Amino acid sequence: MKFKYLTILIILTNCQSNMNNKIIAPICEVENKILSAHSDDRLDKYYWLNQRENPKVIDYLNKENDYTDFQMKSTESFQKKLFNELKSRIKQEDESVPYLYNGYYYWKKFEKGFEHPVYLRKSKNSNSKKEVLLDVNEMSKVYDFFNIGDYDISENNNLMAYSYDTLSRRIYDIRIKDLSKNELFEETLQKTTGSIVFANDNQTIFYGKKDPQTLRSFQIYAHKLGTNQEEDTLIFEEEDETFSCYAYKSKSNEYIIINSSSTLSDEYRLIPASSPYETPRIFQERERGLEYGIYHQGNQFYIVTNQDHRNFSIKTCNLDSTNKENWKEFISGRENVLVEGLDVFNDFLVISERENGLTNLNVMNLKNDSNHYIHFNEPAYVAGTSTNLTMDSNVLRFAYNSLVNPGTLFEYNMLNKERKVLKEKEIVGGYNKNEFISERIWANGRDGTKIPMSMVYKKGIKKDGSNPTLLYAYGSYGYSIDPSFSSNRLSLLERGFIFVIAHIRGGEEMGRKWYEDGKLLKKKNTFYDFIDCSKHLIEEKYCTSSNLYAAGGSAGGLLMGAIINMNPNLYNGVIAHVPFVDVITTMLDETIPLTTGEYDEWGNPNEKKYYDYMKSYSPYDNISQKDYPNLLITTGLHDSQVQYWEPAKWVAKLRELKTDNHLLLLKTNMKTGHGGASGRFEYLKEIALDYAFLFKLENITE
């Protein structure tokens, strides 16, 4: 009877006073819905929030925003200070290092006070003038959100095609520009994936289209300049709902390549770039569990594949014999080294590798079969190849940064091994890396696994538990979180915070097995690793549970939801950005973007074993009556990756069941999607809110 009365009361009121806190907190309206599968019934009181166009939904989200603003009102001036502080470190007038492609140098610049870049080029002839290709500041004036997706230049250098998104749902329109006349073609290619590639005929553009419901990239079209989109030729359609496809051009410029991939399988098709309407030729038919990537060079292809080793090996094949039976071993797979990709030159290969959690660049001289590594001397860093578009070169561009090194773009002579600095990232206002310390430490997992962590802090801290500490992780899709530099992070470090990255299972930092041990029916290892890393930081007296904070976004938001259900008392506060928290409901709904393509990552809940396992950790399904830490949760109304209603439902249910008086804040950006605000400054307001939340909990006021 008590339950019925409470339900009626909630239905009749959109909000009620929390007498303990003497502040008004939104209480979401209840509409009971039973979700049934495998003879199991789940009650979802907040399912109705998935109605994006329902005024009641928008009203509730606005109420939550108002409540967040109210709770953070005391930090308003501090947020402004933080925003200006973050902004002040960014070089207002800045330019990228030009790269040479097909006789032109291309680069982009930022102008003082402007959010967006200007794209430029200049002929390599010394007397030529620079051309403005796109002024994104002008293009974005009438939009709340604006983002350039991709662009490509025709082989004759006269045409440019570019894509743009004005809603933040990663659905792009494409326009074509005649650079010789500085005029746009009449046609607009709508509802595309944003990827663009010119064929070598200077008349044909390949682009992808998304399913309007699921937003899966499932079609590749060829568009002839000057025609209507309705006349475009369908080149390829991916019918398997677990696969997505896209088109690109080989570095050699000889092939248009169509890639179709799922979590566990790849398939490539080849079209001569000079004959764009030729029937695509399959490189190697898809096989479940067979992953591969292809790189053209002269009369052969290099293939990076897991055919013989889970950490991937490198093979070769002739142009006309591309089936896997014809692949020849070039570099064998190694148990302690993960091959992540190749950069192919006429006389060199640069192999991107990962060993013991760190990235390495392995340079191979194809003329004499020798190889060497480019060495780095920090305990935690990230290095990777940059823009290298010319095959006939012995010069490699690569980028390097670390938790204390802001970042450097190098030019590297692969013959004599000499490095040349092209650009060092400038931190406006000054930055002394010698004032900070970077460490790599290891936690003991509950199953005996050693889990690496990368950390940075200001010199002078004492291991007495007094240091506020922010622990960050992701742990899904085999995506590795590398120890990279952030100027924004200085606002934390200068105020005494330790920042730590937990390289937990589900990523690929320690090789392919590291990923496989953190997915499907082993997904809980991801959560256990994060908790064990948290306990290690406390045991080693970096911090205590009263000043330990956790943060993660998207699938990392799932991680946040899981750990606060499992060990809520470990953390004083948690930040979850665009969190994937309603796992079962989402994975059972095939109309939601990304669902079917995710089965190999999370499992298909239409199978009972996966359903039961998901239910055992799904954050939304495992909320219970207990104390939770202080929480800041963010989302975007137009999010295409994780729908806004997942965090909204999560917050509503937490308000209903949690037994504490801690902060529970939901901030919905009503104009953006998964990636947050566009532009180089506007998103800093979101970071300022995050930091103000942490500082409020630490009683840091300036």
Side-chain angles (χ1 to χ4, degrees), residues 214-228:
T214 66
L215 302 186
R216 179 176 66 93
S217 176
F218 78 118
Q219 292 175 326
I220 303 296
Y221 281 88
H223 172 77
K224 188 175 182 179
L225 267 65
T227 65
N228 293 325

Side-chain angles (χ1 to χ4, degrees), residues 49-322:
L49 286 171
N50 67 358
Q51 304 170 66
R52 197 188 311 270
E53 307 301 324
N54 187 337
K56 289 168 59 179
V57 171
I58 301 301
D59 182 63
Y60 170 69
L61 296 176
N62 283 328
K63 281 187 168 65
E64 286 286 0
N65 280 347
D66 291 343
Y67 178 71
T68 296
D69 293 342
F70 179 83
Q71 287 283 16
M72 296 298 292
K73 190 171 180 60
S74 62
T75 71
E76 275 185 0
S77 61
F78 196 13
Q79 286 185 56
K80 291 177 182 177
K81 177 183 177 179
L82 287 167
F83 170 77
N84 290 325
E85 183 178 301
L86 299 168
K87 185 178 179 181
S88 71
R89 299 193 187 105
I90 298 173
K91 190 177 181 181
Q92 292 269 332
E93 295 180 346
D94 201 7
E95 295 189 15
S96 64
V97 178
Y99 63 86
L100 181 64
Y101 177 72
N102 196 25
Y104 280 81
Y105 288 101
Y106 292 85
W107 75 103
K108 64 182 179 182
K109 71 174 184 179
F110 288 96
E111 298 176 335
K112 188 176 181 178
F114 287 94
E115 291 274 359
H116 300 281
V118 178
Y119 291 85
L120 303 113
R121 76 171 182 178
K122 180 181 179 295
S123 172
K124 68 177 181 180
N125 299 325
S126 58
N127 296 325
S128 63
K129 296 181 179 179
K130 64 183 180 184
E131 302 174 52
V132 175
L133 301 175
L134 298 173
D135 186 341
V136 186
N137 297 296
E138 282 295 322
M139 299 166 68
S140 64
K141 278 185 174 180
V142 298
Y143 300 102
D144 292 323
F145 178 93
F146 192 90
N147 182 57
I148 295 292
D150 188 21
Y151 75 91
D152 196 27
I153 306 293
S154 62
E155 283 296 295
N156 62 9
N157 291 315
N158 291 333
L159 303 169
M160 177 186 195
Y162 62 90
S163 61
Y164 59 97
D165 174 16
T166 60
L167 190 61
S168 191
R169 270 189 73 81
R170 301 183 182 179
I171 301 173
Y172 297 83
D173 288 351
I174 295 172
R175 296 299 305 269
I176 303 112
K177 188 175 183 180
D178 186 331
L179 298 176
S180 63
K181 300 177 181 178
N182 197 29
E183 295 177 353
L184 290 172
F185 283 72
E186 289 186 5
E187 67 263 32
T188 300
L189 310 182
Q190 298 180 323
K191 299 179 179 179
T192 81
T193 64
S195 63
I196 310 164
V197 58
F198 270 102
N200 291 352
D201 64 356
N202 303 304
Q203 288 291 313
T204 305
I205 296 170
F206 287 83
Y207 67 94
K209 289 198 76 173
K210 291 186 174 182
D211 182 287
Q213 183 66 42
T214 66
L215 302 186
R216 179 176 66 93
S217 176
F218 78 118
Q219 292 175 326
I220 303 296
Y221 281 88
H223 172 77
K224 188 175 182 179
L225 267 65
T227 65
N228 293 325
Q229 188 176 12
E230 292 75 20
E231 302 173 41
D232 291 351
T233 302
L234 178 63
I235 300 297
F236 173 72
E237 181 168 0
E238 178 53 70
E239 296 180 351
D240 189 328
E241 293 182 349
T242 65
F243 280 72
S244 298
C245 60
Y246 71 98
Y248 66 99
K249 189 183 284 187
S250 63
K251 185 176 176 178
S252 65
N253 284 329
E254 292 187 28
Y255 292 99
I256 304 295
I257 301 175
I258 298 174
N259 169 237
S260 196
S261 295
S262 70
T263 303
L264 295 177
S265 306
D266 296 292
E267 185 176 74
Y268 290 83
R269 287 170 167 80
L270 305 176
I271 303 172
S274 56
S275 303
Y277 295 96
E278 190 171 301
T279 302
R281 172 169 67 91
I282 295 179
F283 190 94
Q284 159 63 40
E285 290 185 354
R286 68 188 68 183
E287 294 180 7
R288 183 165 176 79
L290 178 63
E291 298 175 59
Y292 69 98
I294 62 175
Y295 306 82
H296 176 240
Q297 183 210 60
N299 61 358
Q300 66 181 352
F301 281 93
Y302 289 94
I303 306 109
V304 176
T305 178
N306 68 344
Q307 182 188 28
D308 299 324
H309 201 287
R310 65 186 175 192
N311 275 345
F312 292 76
S313 61
I314 302 174
K315 300 180 183 291
T316 62
C317 71
N318 297 327
L319 299 182
D320 57 354
S321 305
T322 59

